[in-house]
């Protein structure tokens, strides 16, 4: 489980592709990786992945076919900056929102504009996620916990404060770039229950 509060940005240093799975190596600070070991979880751009190797300031994870198909990792390149967050500690202070690291789909940036000190990003999202994204609700974009500003048919927008813009890879996005999105887990369960009730 994660909070969506990014601890630092890492950089992809190696990609080994085998059809629809990847062995991905990222570089991060020794501070972040100090207590991180093989078998531990790390959210990389919002995707919960397990460490299979670690050496110095680099660690390696396996990306299975389902994750390859559902996320932006199929288009990742060496040198890409990625948002990193270690799994939440039971004794840690909880902020952000509950993020599972199970990405739902990919969204595409369609608009980027400034609003005084904020950066507003608008994304097009898949039809199957309608009903799971609501205004003032929570969403994780590349693993970043954000509040949805507005939702229109097939589009949603979020607003970044300067700190978030600086500490994550979202401010670097260009029009047309894709991101991983995870909708609020509470919205998923509510939508499921409503559909079951409608089927009765």
């Amino acid at each position: 489980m994660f909070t969506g509060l990014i601890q630092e940005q890492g950089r992809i240093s190696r990609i080994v592709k085998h059809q629809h799975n990847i062995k991905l190596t990222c570089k991060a600070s020794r501070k972040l990786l100090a207590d991180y070991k093989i078998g531990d979880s790390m959210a990389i751009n919002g995707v919960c992945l397990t460490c299979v190797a670690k050496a110095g300031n680099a660690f390696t994870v396996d990306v299975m076919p389902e994750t390859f198909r559902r996320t932006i990792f199929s288009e990742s390149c060496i040198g890409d900056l990625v948002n990193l967050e270690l799994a939440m500690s039971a004794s840690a202070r909880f902020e952000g929102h509950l993020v599972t690291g199970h990405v739902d789909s990919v969204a595409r940036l369609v608009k980027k504009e400034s609003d005084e000190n904020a950066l507003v990003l608008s994304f097009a999202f898949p039809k199957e996620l309608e009903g799971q994204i609501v205004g003032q609700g929570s969403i994780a974009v590349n693993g970043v916990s954000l509040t949805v500003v507005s939702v229109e048919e097939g589009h949603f927008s979020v607003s970044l404060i300067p700190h978030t813009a600086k500490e994550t890879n979202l401010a670097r996005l260009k029009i047309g770039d894709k991101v991983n999105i995870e909708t609020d887990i509470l919205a998923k369960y509510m939508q499921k229950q409503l559909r079951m009730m409608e089927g009765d």
Side-chain angles (χ1 to χ4, degrees), residues 102-115:
H102 304 157
V103 167
D104 294 295
S105 190
V106 167
R108 179 174 51 86
L109 183 68
V110 294
K111 191 175 182 181
K112 181 179 183 179
E113 58 186 349
S114 296
D115 182 11

Side-chain angles (χ1 to χ4, degrees), residues 102-176:
H102 304 157
V103 167
D104 294 295
S105 190
V106 167
R108 179 174 51 86
L109 183 68
V110 294
K111 191 175 182 181
K112 181 179 183 179
E113 58 186 349
S114 296
D115 182 11
E116 296 189 16
N117 68 333
L119 179 64
V120 181
L121 304 177
S122 298
F123 298 91
F125 67 90
K127 185 176 178 63
E128 61 265 24
L129 297 184
E130 287 184 0
Q132 297 180 22
I133 302 175
V134 297
Q136 303 307 306
S138 298
I139 193 165
V141 179
N142 272 359
V144 183
S145 173
L146 296 168
T147 300
V148 177
V149 174
S150 64
V151 185
E152 298 177 3
E153 187 174 355
H155 297 79
F156 73 90
S157 64
V158 293
S159 183
L160 310 184
I161 62 172
H163 176 80
T164 304
K166 179 183 177 182
E167 298 298 323
T168 73
N169 61 12
L170 298 183
R172 296 173 177 267
L173 293 173
K174 301 183 294 294
I175 301 300

